[in-house]
Amino acid sequence: MREILIVGGGYAGFYTAWGLEKTLGEDEARITVVDPRPYMTYQPFLPEVTAGSVEARHAAVSLRRHLRRTRLIAGSAVEIRHADRSVTVRPASGADYELSYDTLVVTAGAVTRTFPIPGLAQEAIGLKHVEEAVAIRDRLMTAFDQAASLPPGAERRKLLTVTFVGGGFSGVEGFGELLSLATALLKSYRELSMDDLSFHLVEARGRILPEVGDEPGAWVVRSLERRGARVHLNTQLVSAEDGHVVLSDGEEFDSALIVWTAGNASNPVVHNHTDLPVDERGLLVVRPDLRVGTADEPVPDVWAAGDDAAVPDLASPVPGARTVPNAQHAVRQGKRLAKNIAADLHGGRVRDYRHSSLGVVATLGLGRGIFQYKRLVIKGLPAWLMHRGYHVLAVPTWERKVRVLAVWLTAALFGRDLVSLASVQHPRDAFVAGGAQQDSGGREAKDRTAA
């Protein structure tokens, strides 16, 4: 039986395994997925998770529930040695161990790219995983509770100041959704007003949303600023020590919530710990049919897709263009990978990956969005409805589609669910504090009895 090892359970890895289960017989191959998380994150929903418009669990697709014939290993691949046909796996606990394979699929996914900015590692939070999106939402709502009990002043301003660094899709969508949530929260906090809120979006380039045209990108900036936000273009974060934000344009302010969405970097196992060929950006060199290698020097039995693969974009008129690292491509590359691997094993025809963009669509908060396909641009509520319609169709499995739709319909009837569960991030605090109080009370009772 052939051993097929898939490194990474994100979009491309999930759809590859899902497709192989449908096309290969149980006696043909054993499929193994290695990933530290037991679920695939549907990242386009993360901005809505931050705003409470999508339940956190509904943005995560269980691998075990949907990959019935796949062996799932909870761990991280830390080294790939194709010369030995082995992958070193590091589990959450215990020693590293080796997995051997006949066919390798690398879909490890990208990691958040950071820079050595003072205070960044200590103060900022990313927006790449469900846990981060939930933490961002709970931190904002907890800040509202704390600010409402404070008089106007520096501490209140800091609690209600939010800073996003990075003007790509993840940053702009997360920023817009969180701004929408904060505006909605004001209705429940009579002690606070719009003047107390301070939202900053920081982008190093001269524009945001590079996937859309210049005019639509400028419209998004104007739209955010009309809602009370500040957009800092051609600006970099210089320091964030102790929550004190210093920008390259000279502006300084205190911010209790700093979210870093300034791009991705290739997974370390691909960039630094493999004998497979990588390009100058640390991405795997991939042929149009998703095999690793070049036309002249293919690497046998190794395939790759997603954010860590430099996949040629055959639909682009630009020579040497590579597919952009987004969900649209990763999903379709995963489906093509499954078909190509099955065809290769069965002696069939392996096809090149070719996909023309369906356009780009982004949410900017409840009832606000933007869509662009070539020269067609749609703004506002229609674009927001298109965003929701597209993604409820795109999220895998009918079970997840129904759950997401149910939450949206409930919210349409009853409004947002404005409950913070920040304490779940420190579940033992109440238990420990309660125990200390009980011990103290017990000692005091004994003291009174002795007296």
Side-chain angles (χ1 to χ4, degrees), residues 16-99:
T16 299
W18 208 19
L20 288 174
E21 285 190 353
K22 298 173 184 177
T23 54
L24 297 181
E26 293 189 36
D27 57 343
E28 287 186 271
R30 182 167 70 165
I31 306 164
T32 300
V33 171
V34 176
D35 197 283
R37 288 177 170 79
Y39 56 81
M40 183 207 81
T41 301
Y42 190 72
Q43 291 183 344
F45 278 160
L46 293 187
E48 294 198 65
V49 171
T50 67
S53 300
V54 171
E55 284 291 329
R57 294 187 305 276
H58 300 166
V61 180
S62 170
L63 298 180
R64 291 192 179 276
R65 177 166 185 167
H66 300 291
L67 300 180
R68 302 293 180 85
R69 288 174 40 208
T70 298
R71 179 175 60 152
L72 299 173
I73 295 178
S76 301
V78 295
E79 187 176 7
I80 297 172
R81 295 184 306 281
H82 186 60
D84 302 327
R85 301 224 172 191
S86 69
V87 171
T88 302
V89 175
R90 180 164 297 162
S93 60
D96 296 357
Y97 60 91
E98 307 294 322
L99 285 178

Side-chain angles (χ1 to χ4, degrees), residues 158-197:
K158 179 177 181 179
L159 285 169
L160 298 180
T161 298
V162 176
T163 306
F164 271 65
V165 183
F169 258 86
S170 178
V172 171
E173 288 190 313
F175 185 78
E177 286 286 350
L178 208 64
L179 178 59
S180 179
L181 172 61
T183 305
L185 282 172
L186 288 174
K187 299 175 184 178
S188 302
Y189 290 83
R190 296 182 180 179
E191 307 90 338
L192 305 175
S193 69
M194 194 66 190
D195 293 335
D196 292 309
L197 296 183

Side-chain angles (χ1 to χ4, degrees), residues 247-445:
L247 303 180
S248 60
D249 62 3
E251 188 163 351
E252 299 184 26
F253 50 86
D254 290 331
S255 180
L257 179 56
I258 302 171
V259 183
W260 179 268
T261 62
N264 297 321
S266 61
N267 195 291
V269 70
V270 171
H271 192 277
N272 300 317
H273 304 289
T274 181
D275 57 358
L276 297 172
V278 296
D279 65 11
E280 66 282 355
R281 297 173 296 167
L283 304 178
L284 288 169
V285 177
V286 177
R287 305 184 339 165
D289 60 3
L290 303 180
R291 297 178 191 264
V292 172
T294 63
D296 298 329
E297 298 183 18
V299 179
D301 300 317
V302 185
W303 309 74
D307 292 351
D308 283 322
V311 179
D313 189 352
L314 301 183
S316 172
V318 180
R322 299 290 185 263
T323 58
V324 296
N326 61 22
Q328 196 176 128
H329 281 298
V331 168
R332 287 162 177 78
Q333 288 170 9
K335 294 178 179 179
R336 172 48 54 195
L337 260 179
K339 293 177 181 177
N340 279 358
I341 293 171
D344 186 58
L345 295 180
H346 294 154
R349 179 185 174 188
V350 174
R351 299 178 181 273
D352 290 343
Y353 172 76
R354 179 189 294 269
H355 171 68
S356 298
S357 173
L358 301 176
V360 292
V361 62
T363 174
L364 303 174
L366 195 63
R368 301 175 176 89
I370 187 164
F371 168 83
Q372 181 176 8
Y373 177 70
K374 296 182 179 179
R375 295 186 178 181
L376 174 65
V377 178
I378 300 175
K379 306 170 184 176
L381 179 62
W384 178 78
L385 292 173
M386 293 172 67
H387 175 273
R388 286 207 160 181
Y390 172 78
H391 284 299
V392 80
L393 292 174
V395 66
T397 79
W398 279 102
E399 172 256 343
R400 275 295 178 263
K401 299 179 197 297
V402 172
R403 289 183 186 274
V404 171
L405 274 174
V407 172
W408 284 344
L409 291 174
T410 303
L413 291 173
F414 302 107
R416 296 175 186 266
D417 189 353
L418 302 179
V419 177
S420 170
L421 297 176
S423 59
V424 301
Q425 298 170 41
H426 307 281
R428 296 187 67 252
D429 285 358
F431 172 74
V432 172
Q437 292 168 5
Q438 186 176 11
D439 289 345
S440 175
R443 286 194 299 270
E444 290 174 3

Side-chain angles (χ1 to χ4, degrees), residues 119-163:
L120 179 66
Q122 294 76 26
E123 300 293 335
I125 185 170
L127 184 52
K128 198 169 183 61
H129 302 292
V130 174
E131 299 91 339
E132 294 172 323
V134 173
I136 291 170
R137 176 175 184 265
D138 286 343
R139 286 189 185 184
L140 179 70
M141 298 185 74
T142 300
F144 265 76
D145 287 330
Q146 295 171 348
S149 63
L150 294 174
E155 188 58 29
R156 177 192 272 193
R157 283 197 302 273
K158 179 177 181 179
L159 285 169
L160 298 180
T161 298
V162 176
T163 306

